[in-house]
Amino acid sequence: MAPWITPTETDILTRVSGPELDAFRTAALASGQSDPVPPLIVSVVNMMRGYISRCGNVDMTTKDAGTIPTSG
């Protein structure tokens, strides 16, 4: 089975460029709002863990919170 990781902004930057991520931040930030990226990472990880837990052959009790499997 693939190793499990805690996704970070560095992982996002393997798929989008720094300027793209900065543009997302600029578009998503309201006045006085904190950085939207960390909560978005948590939301996506939680969604993925929900799908994975329904798989039936993965014991989620052995997986650290906030982690997802790497691909391949």
Side-chain angles (χ1 to χ4, degrees):
M1 177 177 261
W4 287 56
I5 62 162
T6 302
T8 65
E9 185 173 319
T10 302
D11 297 308
I12 294 171
L13 290 171
T14 66
R15 300 291 184 251
V16 301
S17 69
E20 288 172 313
L21 189 56
D22 289 341
F24 169 77
R25 278 192 171 103
T26 300
L29 276 175
S31 179
Q33 181 182 4
S34 61
D35 185 358
V37 173
L40 182 60
I41 291 172
V42 169
S43 178
V44 170
V45 166
N46 289 339
M47 180 184 68
M48 292 176 68
R49 288 178 63 88
Y51 287 127
I52 293 165
S53 71
R54 291 176 186 89
C55 177
N57 64 349
V58 177
D59 182 3
M60 295 299 287
T61 63
T62 65
K63 308 303 179 194
D64 292 333
T67 62
I68 56 172
T70 59
S71 62

